[in-house]
């Protein structure tokens, strides 16, 4: 069980846009994030009031809190993109951390149809914001992690894909689990983003195909052919299970860690990298 994580509310305002390499993966990320929101919305249509009030997999939050957060973070990130298109910036959440908490609580008690409407409205606003950004540029600066609008899209992708699996028993019963919904593109992204939670590099071996990567605070890179668990702790597991472990979620099968051929504990993870400037 994990505590809810937050988008960084720090109201920083960079004067110059960070220099980011052009990216050709943004259309695919948009499509997968939209697919995640559709899957979440369809799952909500199968819930009743009892399920909406049931515990989620996040400590202290009901299913309704998770849904309220997804809709709210969608609006907040759309606002980041809308302002960036005008050459403006603002804190991620109006009212900062206190406004975020109050908004989530206020929306948690919505009916099923009200949750569906809120998610749909956020999705519509995000689509319009991304279309606007296609015209004005994805490298415009935002306050979110002192990054760019491209980083805001990455954040939305993580938020909707991860939180769609946080509905507890209500979500698991409808197949909303990491192993069922996180594709390799997304799990690779999580390894890169969440490597900051590791104190040093580890060797990750993907169970599906044996692909080997070094994951750590500097991100993810292909492992050298001669890399072994004599040099680094080796974490072996299915792609979604390794990503779920790094994301603080329950994997279907816990990844196995070894060093020097002997089984060891999985590395200790630092807090979620909220507020950490984007790694360039």
């Amino acid at each position: 069980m994990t505590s809810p994580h937050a988008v960084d509310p720090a109201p920083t305002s960079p004067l110059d846009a960070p220099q980011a390499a052009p990216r050709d993966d943004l259309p695919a990320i948009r499509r997968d994030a939209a697919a995640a929101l559709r899957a979440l919305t369809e799952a909500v249509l199968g819930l009743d009031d009892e399920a909406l009030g049931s515990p989620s997999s996040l400590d202290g939050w009901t299913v309704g809190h998770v849904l309220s957060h997804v809709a709210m973070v969608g609006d907040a990130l759309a606002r980041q993109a809308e302002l960036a298109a005008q050459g403006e910036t603002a804190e991620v959440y109006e009212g900062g951390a206190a406004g975020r908490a109050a908004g989530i609580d206020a929306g948690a008690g919505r009916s099923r149809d009200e949750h569906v409407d809120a998610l749909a409205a956020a999705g519509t606003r995000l689509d319009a914001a991304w279309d606007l950004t296609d015209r004005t540029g994805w490298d415009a600066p935002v306050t979110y992690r002192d990054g760019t609008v491209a980083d805001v899209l990455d954040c939305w992708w993580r938020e909707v894909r991860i939180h769609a699996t946080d509905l507890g028993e209500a979500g698991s019963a409808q197949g909303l689990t990491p192993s069922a919904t996180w594709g390799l593109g997304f799990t690779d992204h999580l390894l890169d983003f969440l490597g900051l939670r590791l104190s040093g590099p580890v060797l990750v071996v993907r169970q599906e195909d044996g692909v080997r990567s070094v994951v750590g605070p500097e991100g993810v890179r292909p492992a050298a052919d001669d890399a072994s668990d004599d040099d680094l702790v080796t974490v072996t597991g299915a792609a979604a299970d390794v990503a779920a472990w790094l994301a603080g979620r329950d994997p279907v099968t816990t990844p196995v860690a070894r060093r020097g051929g002997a089984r060891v504990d999985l590395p200790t993870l630092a807090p979620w990298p909220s507020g950490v400037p984007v790694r360039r």
Side-chain angles (χ1 to χ4, degrees):
M1 302 286 274
T2 60
S3 297
H5 67 269
V7 174
D8 174 38
T12 54
S13 299
L15 298 178
D16 300 312
Q19 297 301 307
R23 291 177 50 180
D24 58 7
D25 59 343
L26 299 176
I29 291 173
R30 282 188 62 178
R31 289 193 297 271
D32 194 56
L37 184 60
R38 285 195 300 273
L40 176 61
T41 303
E42 289 169 4
V44 175
L45 288 170
L47 303 181
D48 56 20
D49 288 343
E50 182 178 357
L52 290 169
S54 67
S56 73
S57 59
L58 300 178
D59 289 341
W61 275 12
T62 65
V63 171
H65 282 88
V66 175
L67 299 175
S68 177
H69 170 58
V70 172
M72 190 173 178
V73 75
D75 279 331
L77 294 175
R79 176 171 170 261
Q80 289 280 292
E82 293 161 356
L83 290 173
Q86 302 171 38
E88 301 175 8
T89 61
E91 60 187 348
V92 176
Y93 288 103
E94 296 185 61
R100 169 187 178 273
I104 292 170
D105 284 341
R110 291 174 179 140
S111 68
R112 180 197 62 189
D113 290 346
E114 287 170 338
H115 278 300
V116 169
D117 288 346
L119 292 169
T124 298
R125 185 176 179 183
L126 283 161
D127 282 340
W130 306 144
D131 287 343
L132 178 63
T133 303
D134 278 337
R135 299 192 295 273
T136 59
W138 287 90
D139 59 351
V142 296
T143 59
Y144 168 70
R145 300 181 73 224
D146 289 348
T148 68
V149 185
D151 300 310
V152 170
L153 174 57
D154 285 339
C155 177
W156 170 241
W157 190 28
R158 291 189 299 270
E159 291 287 324
V160 68
R161 270 285 171 219
I162 292 174
H163 283 310
T165 68
D166 284 336
L167 304 188
E169 293 181 3
S172 296
Q174 300 197 49
L176 290 181
T177 64
S179 61
T181 60
W182 294 2
L184 288 180
F186 185 65
T187 58
D188 284 348
H189 170 72
L190 285 186
L191 263 59
D192 186 58
F193 177 72
L194 294 173
L196 286 169
R197 301 193 71 186
L198 295 162
S199 61
V202 303
L203 178 64
V204 172
V205 180
R206 196 162 68 198
Q207 198 170 55
E208 290 91 335
D209 52 15
V211 167
R212 293 148 49 88
S213 305
V214 175
V215 179
E218 300 303 316
V220 61
R221 68 178 189 275
D225 292 339
D226 59 352
S228 71
D229 65 5
D230 290 329
D231 305 312
L232 299 172
V233 171
T234 297
V235 175
T236 302
D241 287 337
V242 174
W245 161 64
L246 279 175
R249 270 63 185 178
D250 291 330
V252 173
T253 302
T254 302
V256 173
R258 289 187 174 86
R259 183 152 199 173
R263 190 158 177 170
V264 296
D265 291 337
L266 285 165
T268 300
L269 299 177
W272 188 273
S274 178
V276 179
V278 175
R279 180 178 53 234
R280 297 294 181 196

